[in-house]
Amino acid sequence: MSYRATCPNCDFDFYGGHSHHTGHSWAVCVSCHAFFTCPTDNPWGPAPNETIAVQRSVSRGHGKKRVFDSFPTKLSFQAVEVMSGPTGGPQLPVIQYPTDGLPCPDCEDGTVRFGFERDENCPWCGHMPMKFNSIVY
């Protein structure tokens, strides 16, 4: 399920999960705050072992007139298929992105993240807790 994570203390605003409306997932560098998109061949999500090219996302405008432009980077990764499910329950194949963190193609010092947990502090200002809202498409 997708979600929106925001911080009540700073401007952090992040959409986690894959959107079939846009055909990509979002990622963010926790050091330089650069945003990235990770488009897939299929708008419903990546195929097992699909190589995904990370694109730098830059916004212009505000509110309803806000537009995002995407620019290629040298960073890519491979989506992997794993089995997942409740302990003792049925295991189903799901596609995952790397969770180790990728080096930021902008600052080269930071780590690109694809998502956050509900108990994490804001990656930008350290405020706790962030606000999470589930998004059902």
Side-chain angles (χ1 to χ4, degrees):
M1 180 181 302
S2 296
Y3 64 89
R4 181 181 183 193
T6 56
C7 178
N9 195 52
C10 72
D11 291 334
F12 183 73
D13 191 354
F14 180 80
Y15 288 90
H18 185 89
S19 169
H20 65 267
H21 294 288
T22 62
H24 67 253
S25 297
W26 285 96
V28 63
C29 175
V30 296
S31 294
C32 72
H33 304 178
F35 279 96
F36 302 92
T37 57
C38 305
T40 56
D41 292 338
N42 185 322
W44 292 98
N49 302 316
E50 180 178 338
T51 299
I52 299 170
V54 177
Q55 299 179 355
R56 177 70 163 92
S57 182
V58 179
S59 68
R60 50 188 170 90
H62 298 286
K64 292 183 179 181
K65 294 186 179 185
R66 188 174 182 187
V67 176
F68 290 92
D69 296 319
S70 294
F71 303 95
T73 70
K74 295 180 182 179
L75 183 62
S76 65
F77 63 89
Q78 192 169 18
V80 294
E81 184 176 44
V82 298
M83 299 303 284
S84 181
T87 303
Q91 300 293 298
L92 301 171
V94 296
I95 306 297
Q96 288 186 339
Y97 290 167
T99 55
D100 299 350
L102 300 170
C104 176
D106 272 21
C107 71
E108 299 178 359
D109 292 328
T111 300
V112 174
R113 296 275 307 269
F114 297 96
F116 299 91
E117 300 296 327
R118 291 186 183 274
D119 61 350
E120 283 188 79
N121 292 355
C122 173
W124 289 4
C125 73
H127 184 270
M128 178 68 177
M130 287 191 287
K131 181 179 176 184
F132 280 78
N133 294 312
S134 296
I135 300 172
V136 180
Y137 292 111

